[in-house]
């Protein structure tokens, strides 16, 4: 199962640093996970280890109302860079929304609960980096 590879993909981080491993991850080799029961989105991990998690998040279009990710939070800080958007981040705890356009980034401190919404007619594509604490 793909989830079992989280935290050690494409290789164990500690072992790779010790051995000096260099690893290329082609787009076709990413760890693909459909995340969310009620609001499924595609998460493609390039790296998931003890230091960081890096990948691409795709939020589709369609359905009734906007498509969205599941509400989520991370133990570590996160940064999202919008490749194709715009993306709307909703923070339930503070009832705030942030509209992030193509080429813009959004920083979320660890522990902040958020949901990403797609109000547009095209899929949203974002690159993300999350510090330890996925």
């Amino acid at each position: 199962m793909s989830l079992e590879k989280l935290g050690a993909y494409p290789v164990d981080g500690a072992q790779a640093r010790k051995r000096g491993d260099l690893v290329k991850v082609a787009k076709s080799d990413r760890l693909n996970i459909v995340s969310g029961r009620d609001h499924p989105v595609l998460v493609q991990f390039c790296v998931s280890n003890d230091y960081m998690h890096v990948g691409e998040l795709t939020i589709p279009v369609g359905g009734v109302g906007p498509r969205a990710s599941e509400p989520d939070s991370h133990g570590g800080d996160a940064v999202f860079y919008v490749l194709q958007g715009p993306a709307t981040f909703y923070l339930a705890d503070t009832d705030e929304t942030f509209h992030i356009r193509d080429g813009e980034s959004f920083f979320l401190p660890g522990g902040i609960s958020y949901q990403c919404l797609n109000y547009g007619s095209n899929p949203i594509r974002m690159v993300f980096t999350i510090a330890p604490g996925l």
Side-chain angles (χ1 to χ4, degrees):
M1 178 178 213
S2 296
L3 291 175
E4 294 170 355
K5 295 181 180 180
L6 285 176
Y9 184 82
V11 295
D12 179 88
Q15 290 178 7
R17 287 186 293 278
K18 183 178 178 181
R19 294 188 306 239
D21 290 345
L22 304 175
V23 180
K24 174 186 174 184
V25 179
K27 187 168 186 159
S28 61
D29 296 329
R30 292 179 183 175
L31 177 61
N32 296 315
I33 296 174
V34 174
S35 177
R37 181 183 201 122
D38 296 325
H39 306 284
V41 298
L42 176 61
V43 183
Q44 298 179 299
F45 286 90
C46 301
V47 172
S48 176
N49 65 30
D50 54 332
Y51 278 17
M52 66 179 155
H53 309 279
V54 178
E56 186 174 325
L57 171 66
T58 302
I59 301 175
V61 297
V64 177
R67 288 295 294 262
S69 64
E70 299 281 339
D72 202 358
S73 67
H74 307 286
D77 294 346
V79 176
F80 294 86
Y81 177 83
V82 177
L83 298 168
Q84 178 183 335
T88 299
F89 282 84
Y90 173 65
L91 310 181
D93 295 341
T94 59
D95 196 30
E96 293 179 278
T97 57
F98 296 87
H99 304 286
I100 315 302
R101 292 180 281 232
D102 295 8
E104 295 181 336
S105 300
F106 187 59
F107 171 77
L108 276 166
I112 301 293
S113 180
Y114 70 94
Q115 191 171 16
C116 186
L117 297 101
N118 184 355
Y119 288 101
S121 57
N122 294 308
I124 292 174
R125 291 181 46 240
M126 295 183 282
V127 175
F128 66 85
T129 301
I130 302 169
L134 184 65

